[in-house]
């Protein structure tokens, strides 16, 4: 399917690995010119149609710098994918999660997207068109335990912002949608500081057993496997396309059947 993204200008945050890298590559394959931001950019080196920008997106000035680079290089901005995010397992629950822990999660998972959106909107409004895709999480509304309570709160804020911005700017041609992945085969789940390894160290089992135990404890996946970053990227690219021009204020769950309710 032709998605009408040829020579559109897209910014992707947290673009150097996992979902962000998959989205960057998928947008470039569709002909978009991608300005990809991350702290380390080695994985982005040599990608056709991709400009890699090394910067800290959690720093207050970072998101605006990335948007500014896209506008300086290309003179327009058509797509923003707010992907940057991180989680730390809170094995001590609510009483063991400090204000600083919550602040870290909000800065990483909410304020980085908020600032990037604030920087991107003027350019989109001036051209009367744009698409913003926020990568949220099922943990915004699904909290089977306290292990990611601060992360879930931050992602819930991002979902709320998505709805609000869609209402405010829909009549001006700017669409804002969210994707809420469940467990994805990225460092967040499988890395040395991810869910599986963290739970493994705490419970005295190997990471693969820990991963299976965690998934079983939250109800299991109907497909029996983690979502791939490329599957999330496919949906992000579709939402970036003008072909989904009347889709806004929506949240799309990609979770392998984790959420059982309607």
């Amino acid at each position: 399917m032709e998605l009408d993204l040829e020579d559109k200008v897209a910014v992707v945050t947290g673009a150097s690995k996992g979902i962000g890298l998959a989205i960057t590559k998928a947008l470039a394959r569709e002909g978009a010119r991608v300005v990809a931001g991350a702290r380390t950019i080695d994985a982005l080196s040599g990608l056709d149609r991709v400009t890699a920008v090394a910067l800290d997106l959690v720093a207050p000035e970072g998101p605006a710098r990335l948007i500014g680079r896209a506008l300086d290089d290309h003179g327009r901005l058509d797509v923003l994918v707010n992907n940057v995010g991180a989680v730390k397992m809170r094995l001590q629950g609510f009483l063991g999660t400090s204000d600083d822990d919550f602040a870290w999660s909000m800065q990483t998972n909410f304020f980085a997207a908020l600032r990037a959106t604030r920087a991107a909107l003027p350019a989109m409004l001036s051209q009367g068109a744009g698409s913003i895709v926020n990568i949220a999480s099922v943990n915004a509304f699904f909290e089977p335990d306290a292990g990611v309570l601060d992360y879930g709160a931050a992602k819930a804020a991002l979902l709320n912002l998505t709805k609000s911005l869609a209402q405010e700017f829909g009549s001006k041609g700017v669409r804002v949608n969210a994707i809420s992945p469940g467990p994805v085969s990225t460092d967040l789940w499988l890395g040395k500081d991810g869910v599986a390894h963290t739970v493994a160290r705490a419970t005295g089992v190997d990471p693969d057993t820990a991963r299976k135990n965690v998934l079983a404890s939250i109800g299991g996946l109907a497909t029996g496997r983690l979502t791939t970053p490329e599957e999330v990227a496919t949906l992000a690219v579709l939402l970036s396309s003008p072909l989904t021009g009347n889709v806004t204020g929506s949240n799309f769950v990609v979770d392998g059947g984790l959420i059982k309710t309607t």
Side-chain angles (χ1 to χ4, degrees):
M1 180 185 292
E2 172 57 55
L3 296 180
D4 294 342
L5 288 170
E6 185 73 27
D7 289 331
K8 297 293 187 182
V9 178
V11 167
V12 180
T13 70
S16 64
K17 59 184 179 179
I19 292 171
L21 181 58
I23 292 171
T24 297
K25 290 179 177 179
L27 284 167
R29 282 196 302 271
E30 292 296 328
R33 300 189 181 278
V34 186
V35 178
R39 284 179 176 168
T40 59
I41 57 174
D42 292 349
L44 298 163
S45 178
L47 294 182
D48 189 36
R49 308 183 75 86
V50 175
T51 300
V53 182
L55 76 176
D56 182 0
L57 288 157
V58 179
E61 71 283 358
R65 282 181 53 206
L66 183 62
I67 299 299
R69 176 63 182 273
L71 294 173
D72 289 344
D73 285 3
H74 302 292
R76 61 181 293 117
L77 179 60
D78 302 289
V79 175
L80 169 63
V81 181
N82 284 310
N83 168 74
V84 70
V87 64
K88 295 179 181 179
M89 292 294 293
R90 308 302 185 185
L91 299 182
Q92 303 304 311
F94 174 69
L95 295 179
T97 306
S98 67
D99 284 1
D100 286 343
D101 293 332
F102 272 93
W104 174 86
S105 194
M106 289 296 293
Q107 289 293 332
T108 304
N109 296 291
F110 176 71
F111 276 101
L114 176 74
R115 292 164 179 149
T117 301
R118 184 184 289 127
L121 273 169
M124 291 182 173
L125 293 171
S126 70
Q127 64 198 32
S131 175
I132 298 172
V133 181
N134 294 323
I135 306 302
S137 169
V138 293
N139 292 122
F141 46 87
F142 177 68
E143 287 288 346
D145 56 46
V148 291
L149 77 169
D150 56 319
Y151 175 76
K155 291 297 191 179
L158 185 59
L159 277 187
N160 189 282
L161 181 69
T162 299
K163 292 285 188 180
S164 179
L165 295 177
Q167 292 300 313
E168 182 174 355
F169 297 108
S171 64
K172 299 176 176 64
V174 179
R175 301 182 296 114
V176 190
N177 291 289
I179 300 173
S180 287
V184 180
S185 53
T186 65
D187 283 351
L188 189 151
W189 265 86
L190 304 178
K192 64 182 179 64
D193 294 317
V195 173
H197 281 72
T198 301
V199 173
R201 289 192 293 267
T203 58
V205 299
D206 64 89
D208 189 55
T209 299
R211 175 183 57 80
K212 292 176 181 177
N213 289 343
V214 171
L215 291 175
S217 73
I218 62 177
L221 306 177
T223 61
R225 65 170 179 85
L226 302 183
T227 300
T228 68
E230 290 74 20
E231 288 167 330
V232 180
T234 297
L235 186 51
V237 172
L238 185 60
L239 291 172
S240 300
S241 167
L243 271 62
T244 54
N246 207 36
V247 178
T248 194
S250 296
N251 177 44
F252 295 86
V253 175
V254 187
D255 70 349
L258 172 65
I259 306 299
K260 309 300 193 289
T261 56
T262 57

